Each structure stands twice: as structure tokens, then as C-alpha cells.
Amino acid sequence: MSPRSNDDAQERDLVDEAADPAGTAETAADPTGTATPAETAGAAGSAAAAATTGTGRPAPGERRGSGRSRALQLAACAVALAVAMTAGAVVLGNRGGDDTSTVSSAPGLDPELLAGGSLASGISALQSHLKAQPKDSGGWATLGMAYVEQARTNGDPSRYPQAQRALARSLELSPDNDPALAGRAALAAARHEFPEALAFSEQALDENAFNERALSVRIDALVELGRYKEAAKAADEADSRRPGVPVFTRYAYVRELRGDIGTARRVLKQALAGATAPGDIAYVAGSLGQLSWREGDYGVALKYYEQALRADRTYLPALEGRARAQAANGDRAAAIRGMEEVVARFPLPGPLVVLGELYEARDDEGDPAKARDQYALVDAWTSLARANGVNADLDTALAAADHGDRKAALRAARAEWERRHTVHTADALAWALHVNDRDDEALAYARRATATGYRDATFLYHRGMIERATGHAKEARGSLSAALELNPGFSPVGAQQAEKALTALGGAR
Amino acid sequence: MTPFTSGFVGRRSLATLVCGALATGGLAAVGVTALEPGAASASSHREAPLISGQPQYDNTDVYAFASPDKPDTTTIIANWIPFEEPAGGPNFFPFAEDAQYDLHIDNNGDAQGELVFRYTFKTHVKNDKTFLYNTGPVESLDDPDLNITQTYDIDLLQLKDQHLVKKTKYADDVAVAPSNVGKASMPDYAKLRSEAVHELPGGATTFAGQADDPFFLDLRVFDLLYGGNLSEVGNDTLKGYNVNSVALQLPNDVIQESADQPIVGIWSTTQRKNASGHYRQVSRLGMPLVNEVVNPLKDKDKFNASAPWNDGDFLKNVTNPELPKLIEAIYKIEAPDEPRNDLVDVFLKGVEGLNQPPNVRPSEMLRLNTSTKPAAEEKRLGVLDGDNAGFPNGRRLGDDVLDIALQVVEGELVGSKNDLGDAVDKNDVKFEKTFPYVGQPTSGSRGPLAKGTTGTNDVRNQLGDALQPAGANGTGGMDDTTLIAVSAASGAAGFLLVGTGLLWWRSRRRSY
């Protein structure tokens, strides 16, 4: 046999570059090139200023200390953190790239095989293989997809630039290859670029109508764009072509969004019965937990969360869900322990709010201060996200509306609504309008959020409060009663508010 | 979630908070997350699995041959679930309950199945209080210590022009041979397996259960498709891995159209129940390597969902195959002239005068002339080496289909003699002399033999080593909290170590 004829130094470099700290930092640290610490200071400053010039009732961002000095303080911390984050990105970007030569070439690793064992070991083997065979377009596509999947399971977006390079390399070697096109679609969706995700998934499906990932991302993109009818059609089509866990989970969600809980639960159970990979089991069991929790079946939810955690004891959504279900079930001590664990790992707005509210509800000595700390971290998180050119996610907007910078929450919610009209963006916008005293505007959005039949007690609570504020007492009673009937533990503080409001309105309907 | 209550947070407390979060690594992680909208921040956007492991539906190989010890019968073997790792604790590999595992037979060459033997499985758990596969040594298939068992039914579907004309229950509640989880649990696995061989009325015999993967090849041979070379071949990539086998031995007169037309086409499919309750075909396999080697990437999924009747769609992949062109580009071995009608014969129609049925419609299936007598001495290159009882006249467990296919693709039948191959000429485990013939599964108590590894240094260990940052070498004995605390204490440079600490910790949580 002839000696290796494809020893292309440039292509070899590309594999190395995928793990190059400098390269990663350059790409990852400043995705938009627009963020500056000054802007952070500005955002925080204007929020604080707004708070001090607010209307009669206490504004969410109000501080009794000097708004200006607090803003500077926050900005300084944000700068320090931004530096720290960049350093972190450098290090994380370097992960797994070096010293993988001990793993020998594993040609043609199927994406499916990656799911069987450890994703990281599959990636490592692929990197090694691509060093030896840099012209393997299929290998590059699989690697790109694996990076996207790794970002999903670990919440580590430093993988995205690496995914982008791997997928670009694949398409350069083999234009129009559907795995790489589907990978680009998945990457776009992960970065919340849903119109692009839709376009790429359709390109991939033009090449291969049976591509499981393209079929799945197409549903995701349509859902996130609020095009639910088309999403349902896409889900049916995917189901008839590629039945399996990726399609089942999306099929179930599309049904749930329309209020068809029975089908959603049945399909998720079916997916769970056929799932063998730990990542699949954790995801599907976690989804069943969330579904049960939203329906107020806390015992069932806890059972599913335990199952998810048996498959992957660090699976964050299950840890968070378990804590929420424990709180709803009255086991506040366990809930606080669990949520503290979640927040210690990822202090994201949603869990921070729940933990803060749990402290408020417990109200031991020091608890009010602890609660305020959590809410302050929500603010810090939001500022940081913005400082890094990231539009705050919907959850951030909701958290900020309740416990942070109300004006910023409204800006974020409006911006997101401009991009996509979903039940979630409608709810976030309605609530952000409400906390900014613009209830007349809020009402239409609150109604829209609940119009598909999607059953979420928070949506109903928000709607009820807005109905009450706009003088629709009868509707408000209905919405608030429905929220408390559906999931009385939807939020430690929100549920109390709902009950109070309901009492003021003359009790449950 | 309430619309108020963000109270006073003074300078001291905010600084403490932020620095506290930093010290625990939390905000450093969030910081990275904050660089782009990340998965962990986006519960309003469902980030569902994209890479999903569903090997139970994946058909790996089909074999069909004249039973050497029972020449008036044909044995069909189909395998699912590739790369079953016997090592790493008691692993249990069930057949899926929401699948139909089908063996198809076309006995008149019209590219439509006349017979379907449909295997469906049920799982039984004796004690659902435990997750253990077995609770003590298993002496027999009905041993109470075997906690999780499976049984199966076989339905025989008779079809005409792809319409069902008759359905009969061919077998009912037959026990599956368990996964071989190790010597301590299953001291006499051979006995368990023999108990799973089940005779059916009418002279047929069936078996379902774990087996050594009988396919032998060096998967790296496919490197050449990726622009590589064949310089490092000779290792059976599938050595040490098991599969789930379904084996069915049928009297020839059950499957032949008639004694005068004894040529049958055989393939296997997997159908999976979808969300709306219909069964959809997700895997199809007859002729080995066609979908792997002949079909280009974008057609593979479509092929898996298709039926032989429509194989005209893929005809061009066979008449104008990619593989010889790739080989020509790399090794300067001249590709035979197109169109490759010789390949159409081997892969789609059968060899004339041997296993090509009259009026055959080209389609991908394993074609077997059931009147061929078993060879007294099998030759691994089958028909190419003058042994007409072997591949591509059916396929025996010992046929070296990779070498045969490679040589045929490179023009062995049209004057371009060659002896290409992967240097793996036989399976690592011996095949049995009697039904079900497949080798016994590698036991769970044997050492790991993952791809690209030697000795005890398996992929995961290597990965752990590779991922462990250089700076963390000396802290192997520390738990991650200690590491992070040390890092945080070391000031600005500590940020880097917080990152590596996280990294190290993450590498641990990933090894399921």
C-alpha cells in the first residue's frame, strides 16, 4: 500500500487550532464587538436612576443607597468579572485539544455512537482521527455536531466557535453535505438565531429528507419563532420519517404547547422506554418531571427527576426541577439545599429567583438579606450578559421584572418580542409591561400567552394579575383560580401573591 | 415571582457576593456562558438531544446459508445493536419492545417480499424494587435470580404484491438468551444459551439473544474513503464486542417458491413505533456493505427507510460507484469502466447461473440458491475462490465479505485481478458447529477491549488523562472543592486555575 498521501500541514493545523487558546479567546470573548464596560455602567446607571425617579410605588431597581455609587460599584465588578470570564474562556477553550494522540484513530465515528458512551471521549477520538485524516468531511461534521451537543449538555458556549470552524471545514471539503448543514442549523438554534436555523435545516433536508437532526432543528426553529402550526406539521413529518428520541421529545413539546398534555406525556413515556443513552434518559425523564410539575403532580415529578439523576447525577435541569418540586411539596429545607447546589454551579436568573423566594418564605434570621443577595446576583448576571453583547434571555427578563431592573426587563422583553412571537415572549412582555405600570398594553400579550392552550400556572398568574389591574375582576378570578388549581406551587412568592389577590377579589371562583 | 422586593444591597455585600461567586467558580462559569446565549441560560428554548443513542433499532448484518449440519434447511441470522461492550459492569442489552424485527424473503425475484418473519419482544421484570439484572448466580433461563428477562413472538406474514394475505403465529413466548454479564453471575453460559434454542412445529428452529459479533473487519479500511490509506490494517475492530442475534432455521420448502425455483432473496428491517402509533422502517439491511460503501452519504437514511421494490432509485450508485474512483485517486489503481454491470449482478441481481432468479428485478437483498449444498471445506473468499456455497451466494458467518466486496468493486469479475483486503481473515471467536452457529458472547467479566486501546488503558482512562490539565496533575487526590479553593486563594492567576478546576471536574462528571 502506498504511504499516506494527504499529509496536509495546513489542515492538520486546523485540528490543532480547534484547541488553540488564543484562537478561541479571540472568537469567544467578543461575539459582537459592541460590548464595553462603559455600556454596562450606563445600563446599570440608568436603571438606578430610573429607580430613584420612579412613580409612587416602589420600583424594582430601587436602592436606598446612592444609585450612582451603586452603579459604579456594579460596573467595576462587571469589568473585573469580564476579565475573569475571558480568562476562563481561554482555559475552557483549550480543553480536550492537547495530548489526545494516545487515542488511536477511530474512523467514521457515527454520531449515534457518540451518544452511547462519553461524548467527550468520542470528541477526543474524533480530534485524533481528524489529525490523521483531515480530509474526512464526515468526521468534521460529526465533530461540529458533537461540540454543539456538548455545549447543550454542559452549558459551555465556548464550544460554539469550535463547532463553527469544524462545520465550515466539512462544507469546504464537501459542499452541501447534509450532516454539516444540519450541524450549522443546530449551531444557529443553540445561538438563538432561529431564522438561520430554519433556513439551514431546510437546506439540509433538501439534500437528505431523512436527516434526523435537520428534522429536529426545523421543529425547534419553528417553535421558537412561534410558528406553531408549521411546527406541528414539521413534527408529524419528522415522526413519519425518523421516529426516535430526538423527534419524540419535540413532538411532545409541540403537543404540550397546544395544551395536549395527554399526548405529550404518552410520547415522552414512549421515548423514555426506548432510551438507553444516559443523556437521553436524563433529558426525557427530566422533561417528564417538568411536565408533571407544571400539572401540579409533585410526587410524580420527583420520581422522574430521581430517574433523570440516576442516569446523570449532575444533570442540572433535574436538580433544579427537583428543588422546585420539593418546595411545592412543602419540603422547603431540601428545596433550599438543592437550589443552593444549583446556584453554586450556575447562578442563572431562574434558579436565583427561586432560591431568593425560598429564603423569603422561610424568613429565618438573615434570610431577607440572603434573598436580596440572590436578586442582586440576578442584576449582576444581567449586566454581565449585556456587557458581553448578549441580549438577555427571556428568563432574565422575567427575573429582572420581578426582582431586578424593571426598565431593562421591558427593553429585553420588547426586543425579544420584535424577534419572535411565541407564548413565552408574549408572557414576558406582558409581565414586563405590567411591572412598568402599563397594564392596558400588557393585557393583549397576557391573553396571547395563554391562547394556544399551553398550561403554565405562571402564565395564568401573570394574566390574572394584569386582568385585575385593568379592572377585569371576573376574568382575574378565573385566571388566578386556574393558576392555583393547576400548580399551586408554581412559585414560592408568586403563589402567595396569587392567593392574596384572589382573596381581595372575593375568593376562588 | 413577584413584582417587587429588590432591597438594598450595599457596596460591601455586593462586592462580597460577586467575589464569593467568583471564588466558588460559579460566576466564572456563568461568565463563559454569558459570552453567548448558552444552553444553561435558556429554559424557554428547549435544547433537546440531537445526538441520540438508539442502537436497538440498528441492524448490523444479515447472514443466510445452507445449514452445514442440516442441508435441507436454510439458516438466516440477523444482528442488531452494534458495539455491545461486555466490560464495565453488568451490562444488559435488551431488544426494543416498540420495534418489529423483520426477516423478509422474496422467493420469486420480483423485489417484493412473499414472507415476513416478524420478531417482537417483551421485557419482564421479576422484582421491580431492584435495578439489578440478576440477583445471584443464574443457572437456568427460568432462574428466579435472573431478574430481567425477555420473551418473543414470531408472526409469519404471507404477502402477495405487498399486501398481507395471511398472518399466523409462528412462535409464542419464547425465551431470549440473556446478556452474558460474567462468570460469577452466569457460571455456565453455554447451558443458558442452549436453553434458548427453541424448536418450532414444522421443523423450524429459532434463537434470539446475545452473541459475539461475527463480522470481522478492520474498520480503519474505511479510512480510504476519508482520504487515508491501508497501511495500518489487520486488527479486527469488532473483536470483543457483542451483538444481539436473531437466528431462524427454516426447511427449504417453507421458503422456496418451488423445487424448480430455489433462489430466494433475504433482507432484514427494523420498524419502530412512532409517536403517532404507526410503525416506520428505520433500518434495512441485506447485502453487506452496500449501504456503507456503495451508497453515498446523503442516500443512506433514505435507503434505510426504503423497500427493495424502489431500489431503482439507487441504481446509479452501483453502476457508477464512488469507491473505485476514490481508490484510483489515492492508490492509482485504475477504476474499471462504467457502467458497472458486474456490480449490478453481484449486488442487485445475483450471479447468473448461480443465484440469479429468473426475471429478476434489480434490488438489494442477499440472494441464496437454497439448492446449493453446504461446502465440505469453506473458503473465506467464497465464490471468488470457487466455493459456490459462500458469498455472494448467500453469506456464511466465516465469509470475508469485506475483502470480497473490495476485490469485486475493484473489478475482480471484469478482468482486474487483485487481492485487496483488510488483512483480517477470520473472526476472533470460533463459530459453533450447530444452530445458532454464532459464537458465544464475550463475557462481561473479561477485560475491556475498546477501539484503539490496549490492556487496561481504555478510552475513558486515556480521556481522563488527556483532559486532566497539566497543572492539576499534582492535585489528583484532592476533591474539586479543595482545588478550587486553592486556586481562588492564589489571586489573579487563580482565574486560570478556577477554569482548569472546572474543567477537571467536568471531565469527571462526563464519564458516566
Side-chain angles (χ1 to χ4, degrees):
Chain A
M1 286 299 143
S2 62
R4 179 173 292 148
S5 59
N6 58 345
D7 201 356
D8 183 329
Q10 198 190 338
E11 284 157 344
R12 279 165 172 270
D13 284 349
L14 201 94
V15 181
D16 298 331
E17 191 208 315
D20 167 30
T24 308
E26 190 188 3
T27 328
D30 192 7
T32 63
T34 56
T36 64
E39 277 184 17
T40 318
S46 63
T52 50
T53 58
T55 52
R57 78 175 193 193
E62 185 163 3
R63 316 274 185 254
R64 262 167 274 155
S66 151
R68 191 174 166 74
S69 77
R70 184 178 180 281
L72 286 174
Q73 178 78 48
L74 187 58
C77 278
V79 173
L81 276 170
V83 173
M85 283 166 3
T86 309
V90 173
V91 177
L92 290 167
N94 192 26
R95 181 180 60 217
D98 300 334
D99 200 25
T100 52
S101 54
T102 47
V103 181
S104 73
S105 171
L109 249 185
D110 273 341
E112 286 68 28
L113 286 179
L114 289 182
S118 157
L119 187 59
S121 76
I123 285 176
S124 181
L126 264 174
Q127 286 172 332
S128 187
H129 162 70
L130 286 166
K131 276 181 186 158
Q133 306 294 356
K135 286 184 180 169
D136 176 5
S137 63
W140 284 109
T142 303
L143 181 64
M145 181 60 80
Y147 282 143
V148 177
E149 183 71 355
Q150 204 174 31
R152 176 185 78 81
T153 50
N154 293 339
D156 173 9
S158 71
R159 283 306 195 194
Y160 292 150
Q162 293 175 288
Q164 184 158 18
R165 280 198 295 273
L167 295 167
R169 187 79 189 98
S170 176
L171 287 165
E172 207 176 289
L173 289 162
S174 167
D176 302 331
N177 82 81
D178 64 277
L181 289 170
R184 283 210 333 208
L187 177 61
R191 288 171 152 168
H192 292 198
E193 295 160 355
F194 300 115
E196 290 80 1
L198 181 60
F200 285 139
S201 67
E202 280 169 350
Q203 262 185 52
L205 291 171
D206 284 345
E207 294 298 315
N208 172 7
F210 290 82
N211 185 303
E212 185 177 45
R213 279 165 282 281
L215 288 166
S216 301
V217 175
R218 181 169 65 170
I219 305 167
D220 287 345
L222 288 167
V223 163
E224 296 301 330
L225 290 168
R227 290 157 65 173
Y228 298 128
K229 249 195 197 137
E230 291 163 89
K233 196 169 152 257
D236 285 341
E237 209 167 277
D239 185 49
S240 70
R241 286 187 202 159
R242 287 300 291 268
V245 169
V247 169
F248 290 163
T249 55
R250 287 153 173 101
Y251 185 99
Y253 189 43
V254 167
R255 295 303 181 108
E256 192 195 339
L257 282 167
R258 295 152 81 185
D260 185 356
I261 303 295
T263 301
R265 185 181 289 121
R266 174 180 64 74
V267 173
L268 284 176
K269 279 185 177 172
Q270 186 181 338
L272 187 58
T276 49
D280 288 348
I281 295 169
Y283 181 85
V284 179
S287 298
L288 275 162
Q290 280 158 17
L291 185 66
S292 306
W293 182 78
R294 271 195 297 278
E295 292 291 300
D297 298 332
Y298 308 129
V300 179
L302 285 169
K303 206 186 79 205
Y304 283 124
Y305 288 133
E306 290 302 336
Q307 191 174 355
L309 291 168
R310 265 200 307 277
D312 176 358
R313 66 194 161 79
T314 65
Y315 183 62
L316 205 68
L319 286 171
E320 181 185 337
R322 185 175 64 180
R324 283 179 192 266
Q326 283 164 337
N329 225 8
D331 190 355
R332 189 191 294 140
I336 288 178
R337 270 199 310 277
M339 208 52 102
E340 281 172 344
E341 190 188 338
V342 170
V343 163
R345 193 163 334 142
F346 282 107
L348 295 169
L352 283 171
V353 165
V354 174
L355 182 56
E357 294 189 350
L358 284 168
Y359 287 138
E360 275 190 59
R362 184 171 67 182
D363 205 24
D364 281 356
E365 195 188 336
D367 275 344
K370 275 189 186 166
R372 282 197 300 275
D373 284 355
Q374 307 311 312
Y375 306 144
L377 277 174
V378 172
D379 254 2
W381 194 94
T382 315
S383 303
L384 284 171
R386 215 163 282 129
N388 282 281
V390 173
N391 82 70
D393 194 78
L394 286 176
D395 296 322
T396 314
L398 278 175
D402 279 343
H403 302 288
D405 179 346
R406 293 176 183 182
K407 287 263 181 322
L410 181 53
R411 273 198 305 277
R414 262 201 210 289
E416 203 58 29
W417 176 257
E418 287 306 312
R419 275 187 286 274
R420 48 205 190 96
H421 295 186
T422 70
V423 289
H424 294 97
T425 55
D427 170 67
L429 181 54
W431 196 238
L433 284 165
H434 167 74
V435 298
N436 283 279
D437 294 326
R438 297 166 73 163
D439 287 297
D440 288 334
E441 266 178 88
L443 188 58
Y445 296 107
R447 287 180 172 156
R448 193 158 167 170
T450 50
T452 64
Y454 181 55
R455 291 158 60 83
D456 186 310
T458 307
F459 288 17
L460 291 166
Y461 159 63
H462 288 164
R463 179 177 165 161
M465 296 302 274
I466 292 165
E467 283 165 341
R468 180 187 174 211
T470 50
H472 296 80
K474 189 170 158 242
E475 288 86 345
R477 274 180 69 195
S479 296
L480 293 170
S481 303
L484 291 169
E485 274 162 32
L486 180 60
N487 178 9
F490 69 90
S491 144
V493 175
Q496 284 174 22
Q497 297 300 321
E499 267 164 29
K500 246 189 249 171
L502 200 52
T503 310
L505 286 163
R509 82 186 151 185
Chain B
M1 295 174 202
T2 58
F4 48 74
T5 67
S6 189
F8 171 77
V9 178
R11 279 184 202 197
R12 183 209 52 77
S13 84
L14 187 69
T16 312
L17 267 177
V18 167
C19 295
L22 204 62
T24 60
L27 265 187
V30 170
V32 177
T33 306
L35 298 177
E36 293 194 43
S41 70
S43 69
S44 55
H45 170 208
R46 297 275 191 117
E47 310 268 1
L50 286 158
I51 296 176
S52 201
Q54 301 166 84
Q56 308 108 296
Y57 310 90
D58 188 357
N59 190 192
T60 63
D61 278 288
V62 175
Y63 302 81
F65 49 88
S67 314
D69 55 336
K70 242 179 164 184
D72 57 340
T73 65
T74 293
T75 296
I76 303 170
I77 296 170
N79 294 334
W80 282 267
I81 318 185
F83 294 111
E84 289 179 10
E85 281 227 44
N91 285 327
F92 164 53
F93 298 94
F95 289 95
E97 289 187 286
D98 64 342
Q100 295 170 338
Y101 298 92
D102 291 347
L103 308 176
H104 302 255
I105 294 167
D106 166 15
N107 62 21
N108 57 15
D110 66 353
Q112 307 180 78
E114 276 72 42
L115 302 169
V116 177
F117 294 90
R118 170 162 294 164
Y119 283 70
T120 51
F121 293 83
K122 274 197 205 99
T123 305
H124 313 273
V125 180
K126 292 196 177 85
N127 175 5
D128 59 10
K129 298 272 188 298
T130 170
F131 295 98
L132 293 174
Y133 184 42
N134 58 301
T135 50
V138 177
E139 309 285 351
S140 68
L141 282 188
D142 52 10
D143 194 314
D145 283 334
L146 187 56
N147 192 37
I148 301 172
T149 57
Q150 288 199 305
T151 56
Y152 62 95
D153 292 355
I154 308 174
D155 291 307
L156 169 57
L157 283 64
Q158 287 165 278
L159 306 155
K160 192 164 176 12
D161 297 331
Q162 301 176 55
H163 291 289
L164 184 68
V165 287
K166 194 178 171 197
K167 185 175 168 182
T168 37
K169 181 77 57 189
Y170 206 62
D172 199 10
D173 270 338
V174 184
V176 175
S179 296
N180 187 357
V181 296
K183 275 259 179 286
S185 293
M186 294 172 181
D188 189 357
Y189 187 82
K191 174 170 179 277
L192 296 179
R193 171 149 134 168
S194 66
E195 286 176 23
V197 171
H198 184 80
E199 285 182 15
L200 300 168
T205 313
T206 178
F207 167 84
Q210 201 179 34
D212 170 70
D213 190 338
F215 197 29
F216 51 92
L217 87 166
D218 190 329
L219 257 187
R220 277 179 297 174
V221 76
F222 289 109
D223 265 11
L224 65 92
L225 289 177
Y226 309 131
N229 63 60
L230 289 178
S231 61
E232 277 187 75
V233 292
N235 298 309
D236 183 353
T237 311
L238 296 172
K239 182 178 175 181
Y241 287 105
N242 298 324
V243 291
N244 275 21
S245 279
V246 158
L248 184 61
Q249 190 167 68
L250 295 160
N252 286 335
D253 56 15
V254 171
I255 59 174
Q256 290 170 348
E257 183 184 37
S258 67
D260 296 335
Q261 202 304 93
I263 297 169
V264 296
I266 293 164
W267 74 100
S268 144
T269 61
T270 318
Q271 298 210 89
R272 183 172 188 178
K273 194 178 178 182
N274 72 2
S276 62
H278 300 100
Y279 281 90
R280 299 292 178 193
Q281 185 181 314
V282 293
S283 175
R284 167 188 168 191
L285 204 121
M287 203 66 180
L289 303 174
V290 165
N291 205 22
E292 289 91 339
V293 174
V294 179
N295 279 334
L297 195 64
K298 70 188 184 77
D299 283 349
K300 291 184 197 303
D301 294 330
K302 184 181 170 195
F303 181 85
N304 270 323
S306 68
W309 180 249
N310 295 317
D311 279 355
D313 293 358
F314 306 103
L315 192 60
K316 217 168 160 288
N317 300 342
V318 179
T319 55
N320 305 73
E322 271 183 348
L323 184 60
K325 287 172 212 153
L326 279 170
I327 293 178
E328 181 174 304
I330 298 162
Y331 304 114
K332 319 295 173 210
I333 299 171
E334 205 179 325
D337 292 338
E338 295 178 349
R340 295 293 304 278
N341 291 321
D342 61 316
L343 297 187
V344 174
D345 278 354
V346 172
F347 286 123
L348 302 181
K349 290 162 72 176
V351 177
E352 217 176 331
L354 177 59
N355 62 342
Q356 185 174 111
N359 309 315
V360 65
R361 179 180 169 118
S363 55
E364 194 258 30
M365 50 184 76
L366 199 54
R367 295 190 193 276
L368 173 68
N369 187 332
T370 55
S371 68
T372 314
K373 293 289 160 245
E377 198 180 328
E378 295 187 10
K379 292 188 172 158
R380 74 175 178 95
L381 294 177
V383 175
L384 283 189
D385 201 10
D387 175 1
N388 279 352
F391 185 79
N393 181 21
R395 178 187 180 187
R396 295 170 305 205
L397 295 166
D399 289 338
D400 194 343
V401 297
L402 189 115
D403 287 12
I404 297 168
L406 202 56
Q407 292 176 18
V408 167
V409 160
E410 284 305 301
E412 183 77 23
L413 302 177
V414 287
S416 302
K417 297 290 172 198
N418 67 79
D419 58 355
L420 290 167
D422 63 349
V424 179
D425 293 346
K426 62 178 183 8
N427 193 40
D428 58 308
V429 172
K430 261 189 132 50
F431 301 122
E432 307 270 312
K433 297 235 178 316
T434 55
F435 185 85
Y437 308 108
V438 284
Q440 288 202 20
T442 303
S443 134
S445 55
R446 225 179 83 184
L449 284 168
K451 266 176 300 183
T453 61
T454 50
T456 55
N457 196 11
D458 70 8
V459 170
R460 282 176 204 172
N461 287 342
Q462 289 180 5
L463 178 84
D465 293 342
L467 276 185
Q468 190 154 341
N473 281 347
T475 62
M478 284 187 188
D479 63 26
D480 46 319
T481 344
T482 323
L483 176 66
I484 288 164
V486 170
S487 308
S490 62
F495 293 142
L496 288 170
L497 280 174
V498 169
T500 53
L502 269 178
L503 184 164
W504 176 68
W505 169 79
R506 282 184 178 177
S507 75
R508 289 198 320 169
R509 69 180 267 235
R510 254 190 240 109
S511 42
Y512 302 111

